[in-house]
Amino acid sequence: MNAPDSKFDQLKINPAWAKLPLFERKGWKRLPFGAFAESVNERAEPSEAAEEIYVGLEHLDPQDLHIRRWGKGSDVIGTKLRFRKGDIIFGRRRAYQRKLAVAEFDGICSAHAMVVRAKPKMVLPEFLPFLLMSDRFMKRAVEISVGSLSPTINWKTLKLEEFALPPLDHQRRIAEILWRADEGREAWGLQAQYLKLTLMAFSGDLFGNRHESKRSEIELGEVCKLQSGFPFKSSEFVSEGDKLLRGSNVGVNRLIWSPDVTKSFPSARRAEFKDYVLRPGDVVVAMDRPFIAEGFKIARVSDSDLPALLLQRVGRFQPSDRILPDFLWFYLNSASFQNQLRLSQQGTDLPHISRFDIESTKLHLPSLDRQKLKIEEFNRFENALLETDRLMQSYSGLIGNLQNGCFT
């Protein structure tokens, strides 16, 4: 995804622009926000904009200048704000979420957002989004928000806040570098999407029953059992000891041990419950609310998670020698396995799955030698994704450091 249409060529050329020190403050001026940006308050009724693009705060991702999803005017009710291509949509409600993006099309947006437009004689439209994304701006935006449940920014207050602005040619240099870094991050993001789609296709071909006869399927329970946790009594919980692995501790591909969700059991009694002691490499699954917005709640136990005990409503997979642990892991993360579980899931207020649901899922199980080959292929995909994610994070770090270095 590219930066908005550039206006760089409309500026008077500065022959020394490439030599401008990014963090040099010479020529910078402190100005009220309202002196170089405006809040556009053009109202729009969804009934009159039924076929137009609608962007709500739920469509904006934190610290991401791009709009990646949207709805239609016919999906919403109530008066909205109209924005134009190049405007900045800034979530003025709960500003701490850091939701803002540059519009690459015309449309309407939530009234809980603020449509910010640059005053080009004072600030480049290409430069302004990075000022808004900086820690300096966001910290002040949070401080001036009013309200306790849904703190919101008032334009009359924001427009008086002062920020330092460099000359236009300096703005151009900073904006060019930051947008190029953003393009690099976007490129690696597209690479990650491609790898994920390829991995999904590979997994679907292996586990999705495309080329195999139904007669060659087996139930997971034939090669792997699921152990349910022990119903430890809450009256026996202690402040320090062995951690108890509950459903709230199981995230998507990771375990969560934040203080608000972590309970403990006396370490001195560990031997009484040796069958429920977790080990490195164990794969566990939350059996209540197993599917959340981020994905399927399944994770591997690492050394740093221990010592810990398995609590009820969390299951531990116990594979036989017919299925390799890594092959099992990839099956459990496949769409085939998870789609079967979605069909088995019961309950609405507290959706849940049972040991029987998991053990009765079906798969095609290749020989151990073929499992090893498939594991190698899966690992190549995972390593490529990890490297891609590392590069994306590097670009994000570069952007953040440059932003905060410029707008201290």
Side-chain angles (χ1 to χ4, degrees):
M1 191 175 292
N2 296 321
D5 293 340
S6 175
K7 296 182 176 62
F8 295 148
D9 294 337
Q10 299 176 18
L11 298 175
K12 183 178 179 180
I13 298 288
N14 173 7
W17 69 268
K19 298 180 181 178
L20 286 170
L22 294 184
F23 307 132
E24 173 61 56
R25 294 285 175 154
K26 184 178 180 179
W28 289 48
K29 295 181 179 179
R30 288 189 64 82
L31 296 170
F33 189 69
F36 57 86
E38 61 180 318
S39 174
V40 180
N41 199 27
E42 184 181 348
R43 301 286 173 164
E45 296 298 330
S47 59
E48 299 171 0
E51 298 305 316
E52 294 189 48
I53 288 174
Y54 166 73
V55 177
L57 297 188
E58 68 276 12
H59 297 127
L60 302 180
D61 295 320
Q63 295 186 288
D64 188 343
L65 289 177
H66 302 279
I67 301 171
R68 305 183 188 280
R69 55 193 181 278
W70 50 80
K72 293 175 62 176
S74 57
D75 298 334
V76 294
I77 59 175
T79 302
K80 307 302 175 187
L81 296 177
R82 184 170 296 284
F83 62 85
R84 306 294 180 183
K85 182 177 179 180
D87 289 342
I88 299 171
I89 302 173
F90 172 45
R92 65 190 184 95
R93 172 172 284 188
R94 299 189 181 95
Y96 57 83
Q97 294 180 339
R98 293 182 174 237
K99 290 189 173 186
L100 69 91
V102 179
E104 299 184 12
F105 39 72
D106 296 348
I108 61 174
C109 68
S110 168
H112 297 311
M114 182 183 294
V115 177
V116 178
R117 185 175 296 168
K119 295 181 178 180
K121 291 184 179 181
M122 302 297 296
V123 65
L124 293 182
E126 296 81 7
F127 175 85
L128 185 58
F130 295 106
L131 188 155
L132 268 66
M133 191 67 83
S134 68
D135 287 350
R136 169 76 177 85
F137 180 89
M138 285 295 179
K139 181 175 183 294
R140 195 65 193 125
V142 171
E143 289 173 347
I144 64 174
S145 296
V146 294
S148 54
L149 295 178
S150 298
T152 304
I153 296 171
N154 186 310
W155 170 250
K156 290 182 179 180
T157 304
L158 177 61
K159 72 178 183 179
L160 300 178
E161 291 295 317
E162 292 188 351
F163 299 92
L165 274 187
L168 289 177
D169 54 359
H170 201 153
Q171 290 182 33
R172 178 173 76 170
R173 179 59 172 153
I174 294 171
E176 280 188 320
I177 292 173
L178 287 170
W179 277 118
R180 296 304 172 260
D182 182 80
E183 287 176 2
R185 180 173 58 185
E186 287 295 290
W188 285 113
L190 290 173
Q191 177 72 5
Q193 290 180 30
Y194 169 77
L195 285 170
K196 289 175 183 177
L197 289 172
T198 306
L199 179 58
M200 286 175 59
F202 177 72
S203 176
D205 190 58
L206 182 60
F207 298 119
N209 309 331
R210 294 181 180 179
H211 308 303
E212 303 285 350
S213 165
K214 292 285 185 182
R215 288 176 294 182
S216 65
E217 289 181 341
I218 65 168
E219 290 191 349
L220 179 62
E222 296 180 41
V223 295
C224 179
K225 298 299 181 183
L226 188 77
Q227 177 194 14
S228 296
F230 185 82
F232 292 93
K233 296 179 180 179
S234 59
S235 60
E236 298 180 303
F237 293 175
V238 294
S239 57
E240 293 185 10
D242 289 2
K243 290 175 284 192
L244 290 170
L245 183 64
R246 305 184 300 155
S248 54
N249 299 118
V250 183
V252 179
N253 292 335
R254 67 190 182 99
L255 296 183
I256 303 166
W257 298 111
S258 55
D260 58 319
V261 296
T262 301
K263 304 296 181 183
S264 300
F265 192 77
S267 299
R269 299 185 58 191
R270 185 185 307 162
E272 298 177 41
F273 303 95
K274 61 181 181 180
D275 291 340
Y276 299 93
V277 173
L278 289 163
R279 299 177 296 272
D282 281 345
V283 177
V284 294
V285 60
M287 302 179 74
D288 292 331
R289 293 193 179 90
F291 294 98
I292 57 177
E294 292 81 8
F296 183 53
K297 294 176 65 174
I298 190 170
R300 277 171 159 160
V301 177
S302 67
D303 288 321
S304 62
D305 297 313
L306 303 176
L309 300 169
L310 189 70
L311 193 68
Q312 66 180 345
R313 301 307 300 156
V314 178
R316 170 168 54 182
F317 293 91
Q318 298 179 314
S320 72
D321 57 7
R322 291 177 58 192
I323 185 168
L324 297 174
D326 283 346
F327 189 83
L328 171 65
W329 172 253
F330 290 121
Y331 169 65
L332 298 177
N333 281 279
S334 71
S336 174
F337 171 74
Q338 294 178 19
N339 288 340
Q340 291 180 71
L341 278 191
R342 286 182 187 276
L343 294 175
S344 302
Q345 189 173 230
Q346 300 177 31
T348 52
D349 293 335
L350 182 63
H352 59 273
I353 51 177
S354 68
R355 179 176 64 84
F356 173 79
D357 295 329
I358 291 173
E359 291 182 354
S360 62
T361 61
K362 296 182 179 180
L363 75 156
H364 297 291
L365 187 68
S367 67
L368 291 176
D369 287 340
R370 186 166 172 76
Q371 288 181 45
K372 291 177 183 177
L373 291 174
K374 294 302 179 183
I375 289 170
E376 291 176 2
E377 293 181 65
F378 272 116
N379 284 334
R380 282 197 289 272
F381 279 114
E382 285 207 329
N383 290 336
L385 277 168
L386 286 172
E387 178 63 12
T388 299
D389 183 66
R390 185 189 68 79
L391 289 165
M392 288 174 60
Q393 294 304 318
S394 295
Y395 274 102
S396 295
L398 171 63
I399 292 169
N401 289 337
L402 286 173
Q403 283 176 164
N404 296 324
C406 291
F407 307 116
T408 54

